[in-house]
Amino acid sequence: MMLIDDYNNLPKPNSEYEEKVITFCKLWLNGQESFILKTSGSTGEPKPISLSRKQMEASALLTGKTFGLKEQDLALVCLNVEYIAGIMMLVRGMVLKLKLLILPPSSNPLLNIENQKIDFAAFVPLQLQSILESDNKHLLITLNRMKAIIVGGAAVSQQLVEQTQELSVPAYSTYGMTETVSHIAIRRINGENTSQNFKVLSGVKIGIDERNCLNILSAASNFELVQTNDLVEIIAKDEFKLLGRFDNIINSGGVKIQLEKVENTVEVFLESLHINRFFAFGMADERLGQKLILVLESENLDDEIKRKLLEDIKNVSDTIYQIPKNIFTISTFSETPTGKIDKKATIKRLNL
C-alpha cells in the first residue's frame, strides 16, 4: 500500500507495481503530452492507443465535476495501472489534486485498509461483489463514508445491483472504454434513483449508426467520432439503454440470437445455485452453423441440476432458440489483465 499526498515529493516505491505508478506520475508531472495505452482485450486482441494529455485532462475534470470531488479528497486506486481505468485514477489525482491510496489489484481491496476515510473509489464488479459478500462489516462502513463509488470494466449483474441496495453511498455503473478515455456515461444502481439507462456526462454527444450501434463525440475523444459495436436504444439525446454487443449476436440455424439476452434470462436461476459468473457463447456446429451453449464458473454440476436448469430456462424464454444446447462448467474462468472474463481462452481450456 502506498499513499501519495504530495506530488512535489512522491513516495519511494516498495514494489515493481508501485514503481509503475511512480514512473507514470513522473512522466505526467514532467509535462509529457501523449501516452500509449493498451485496450483491455475483452472484445479482441489488445491494441495500443495513443491518448493526448488534453484528452485525459478533459476526462479527469469531467469526473471531478460529476462526482463533486475536491482538492485533498482521498481516492482509492485498486485497478491495474497498466490500463485505462487505473491510469485515469492516477490522472484524476494529479489534475484534481486528490490524495491517492495505491493498492495492487485484488479481489477484495478493502481488506487491507484500516482507518482510512476514502472519498472516491472505482471497482470492477467482482471486487465490489467480494466486498459486499465479506463477513467484515467494517468494509460496508468504509464504502458508506465515500462520496460515490463507480463500477466498470464489465457488466453489472442483477445480483450485484440487489446487493448494493444495502449501501447508502451512491453507486454507479459506468460506460466507457480506452478510446473514450474511461467513462462517458453512468447509471445509478442503488437507491431511489436507480435506472436501467445510462446518462451521458456533460458535453458528451451520442448517436447511432445503421446497425443501431452507439457512437460518441466528446472532449475526451478529442472531438473525434468513436464508433462502437454496442447495440443501444436511444432514450433521449443524453440517455441510452445498452442492449448488448453487435458481435455478440450468433446465427444458429438461420436465427439470430443476442447472447446478452440469453444471459439476462438465465441469471435469476443461477443465483440460487450461487453461481456468480457465467456466459453464453456460440460454438461452431456443422448443422446449425453456431449452437448456443452456456458456460458456468462452478465445480461440476450433476446432470439432474443441469436438466432442471435447462427446463427453467425453457419455461421463461421467448423462443426455443434462446435455450442453450449444452451447459459446461469450469472451476475458474480465464481473465484478461483487467479482470474481465476471457471467453475465448476459457472455451479453449474446455477442449470442446
Side-chain angles (χ1 to χ4, degrees):
M1 183 164 56
M2 177 173 66
L3 177 66
I4 300 178
D5 57 3
D6 182 357
Y7 294 103
N8 294 314
N9 185 24
L10 293 172
K12 182 179 178 180
N14 292 313
S15 68
E16 183 179 346
Y17 185 78
E18 291 181 357
E19 180 68 45
K20 292 176 182 178
V21 172
I22 296 302
T23 297
F24 178 83
C25 289
K26 287 180 177 179
L27 291 173
W28 181 274
L29 294 169
N30 287 335
Q32 183 164 311
E33 288 296 327
S34 64
F35 299 85
I36 303 295
L37 297 182
K38 293 180 292 185
T39 59
S40 66
S42 60
T43 58
E45 288 297 318
K47 59 181 179 179
I49 291 181
S50 177
L51 298 177
S52 71
R53 185 185 188 92
K54 184 178 179 181
Q55 288 175 268
M56 299 168 86
E57 286 176 338
S59 175
L61 290 169
L62 191 52
T63 297
K65 177 182 177 181
T66 300
F67 298 109
L69 303 181
K70 306 295 184 184
E71 186 174 335
Q72 292 300 299
D73 278 353
L74 179 61
L76 175 65
V77 183
C78 58
L79 301 175
N80 194 328
V81 297
E82 294 187 71
Y83 296 87
I84 189 66
I87 282 290
M88 282 310 302
M89 288 298 290
L90 301 181
V91 174
R92 290 165 194 146
M94 291 180 281
V95 170
L96 303 173
K97 298 180 181 178
L98 310 174
K99 294 182 290 184
L100 298 177
L101 187 62
I102 313 293
L103 288 172
S106 66
S107 60
N108 189 336
L110 294 190
L111 280 179
N112 300 314
I113 296 175
E114 293 182 6
N115 303 320
Q116 293 282 359
K117 168 62 172 68
I118 299 169
D119 297 289
F120 181 69
F123 302 109
V124 296
L126 182 61
Q127 288 177 320
L128 183 57
Q129 188 150 15
S130 296
I131 293 168
L132 294 176
E133 291 177 352
S134 171
D135 293 330
N136 188 342
K137 296 307 177 184
H138 289 290
L139 304 187
L140 295 183
I141 296 173
T142 300
L143 286 177
N144 282 328
R145 294 171 70 190
M146 298 183 190
K147 291 183 176 181
I149 58 177
I150 57 176
V151 191
V156 173
S157 68
Q158 184 57 36
Q159 181 181 0
L160 181 54
V161 169
E162 292 169 2
Q163 289 173 317
T164 61
Q165 302 314 308
E166 63 181 304
L167 296 175
S168 58
V169 57
Y172 299 87
S173 172
T174 63
Y175 176 87
M177 60 205 73
T178 308
E179 293 88 340
T180 60
V181 197
S182 190
H183 52 260
I184 54 88
I186 59 175
R187 69 178 182 96
R188 182 77 179 263
I189 60 173
N190 71 335
E192 294 181 357
N193 297 318
T194 299
S195 175
Q196 294 294 321
N197 303 332
F198 285 94
K199 295 275 287 188
V200 302
L201 304 188
S202 176
V204 176
K205 295 182 179 180
I206 56 172
I208 54 174
D209 67 4
E210 66 280 358
R211 304 169 300 164
N212 288 323
C213 288
L214 186 70
N215 52 49
I216 301 154
L217 192 72
S218 68
S221 71
N222 207 25
F223 295 105
E224 295 179 1
L225 193 69
V226 174
Q227 180 62 58
T228 77
N229 286 318
D230 292 320
L231 290 164
V232 300
E233 177 186 350
I234 298 294
I235 307 299
K237 66 178 183 179
D238 62 348
E239 185 176 356
F240 65 91
K241 184 176 183 178
L242 185 61
L243 303 178
R245 285 189 60 82
F246 185 80
D247 45 8
N248 270 356
I249 297 175
I250 68 170
N251 190 317
S252 184
V255 177
K256 292 183 178 180
I257 302 170
Q258 183 73 51
L259 296 180
E260 287 89 350
K261 188 172 183 179
V262 175
E263 291 167 350
N264 290 339
T265 298
V266 305
E267 181 180 3
V268 64
F269 303 115
L270 295 177
E271 286 182 22
S272 63
L273 297 174
H274 305 291
I275 295 174
N276 297 325
R277 298 209 296 176
F278 61 94
F279 62 88
F281 196 80
M283 285 292 298
D285 183 83
E286 287 187 8
R287 186 172 64 88
L288 297 172
Q290 290 176 295
K291 69 174 181 179
L292 177 64
I293 67 169
L294 186 64
V295 184
L296 314 178
E297 187 177 57
S298 173
E299 300 300 333
N300 286 331
L301 295 180
D302 64 44
D303 290 341
E304 179 58 25
I305 293 177
K306 289 182 180 180
R307 187 201 62 76
K308 177 65 164 57
L309 179 56
L310 288 173
E311 188 66 28
D312 288 338
I313 296 170
K314 179 181 178 180
N315 290 336
V316 298
S317 295
D318 294 334
T319 74
I320 60 171
Y321 302 105
Q322 293 175 10
I323 305 169
K325 301 297 183 185
N326 302 98
I327 296 176
F328 300 96
T329 61
I330 189 169
S331 58
T332 55
F333 283 159
S334 298
E335 296 181 347
T336 68
T338 57
K340 298 179 183 180
I341 298 171
D342 190 329
K343 297 180 183 179
K344 291 182 179 179
T346 301
I347 292 293
K348 187 176 181 180
R349 286 170 51 213
L350 284 170
N351 295 316
L352 301 179

